[in-house]
Amino acid sequence: QVQLVESGGGLVQPGGSLRLSCVASGSRFSLNDISWYRQASGKQREFLAHITRGGSVSTAISVQGRFTISRDNAKNTVYLQMTKLKPEDTAVYSCGAVAIVNGQTKWYWGQGTQVTVSS
């Protein structure tokens, strides 16, 4: 099994920045593609950004220019740098990853971290 743990959320003022982290742990696994999503209260989950193991990136148009995904394979960690935050960015942010464990490819979710943008 693989566990994903997000951190870095919190309360930030409009225009501020936050960096979220998603750390993967477990035994005998290989972490492949990882994505960030968010879900605001009463809304559907929204895709934000995706990064392959090799570092290829895709970002949702809605957050392009403000959110940047990156990863450190040595640390099994993916980051989401968020800048110019707006109140509408308030949501629970989660990472999801494709990992190979004992030869099986599975999708894993983290528990999420709350981001609140408010003055």
Side-chain angles (χ1 to χ4, degrees):
Q1 292 295 322
V2 174
Q3 293 78 43
L4 301 177
V5 178
E6 302 94 335
S7 62
L11 175 64
V12 62
Q13 291 188 343
S17 299
L18 281 176
R19 189 178 79 157
L20 306 182
S21 299
C22 170
V23 180
S25 63
S27 61
R28 298 182 179 180
F29 71 97
S30 175
L31 205 56
N32 287 355
D33 297 1
I34 303 178
S35 301
W36 280 99
Y37 294 80
R38 69 185 178 188
Q39 187 166 21
S41 180
K43 295 188 177 181
Q44 290 188 335
R45 181 181 291 152
E46 176 187 9
F47 166 79
L48 298 175
H50 170 270
I51 186 166
T52 67
R53 184 169 181 82
S56 296
V57 170
S58 61
T59 307
I61 292 174
S62 60
V63 298
Q64 279 184 5
R66 297 193 302 123
F67 290 10
T68 303
I69 190 171
S70 62
R71 68 188 289 168
D72 184 335
N73 289 333
K75 296 181 178 179
N76 285 321
T77 300
V78 172
Y79 306 97
L80 185 69
Q81 179 69 48
M82 306 186 295
T83 63
K84 302 175 185 177
L85 284 164
K86 307 173 184 180
E88 51 263 43
D89 293 319
T90 295
V92 175
Y93 286 67
S94 302
C95 60
V98 175
I100 300 174
V101 182
N102 295 325
Q104 291 188 326
T105 301
K106 295 184 179 181
W107 176 267
Y108 295 89
W109 281 108
Q111 83 290 348
T113 185
Q114 176 70 45
V115 172
T116 302
V117 184
S118 175
S119 55

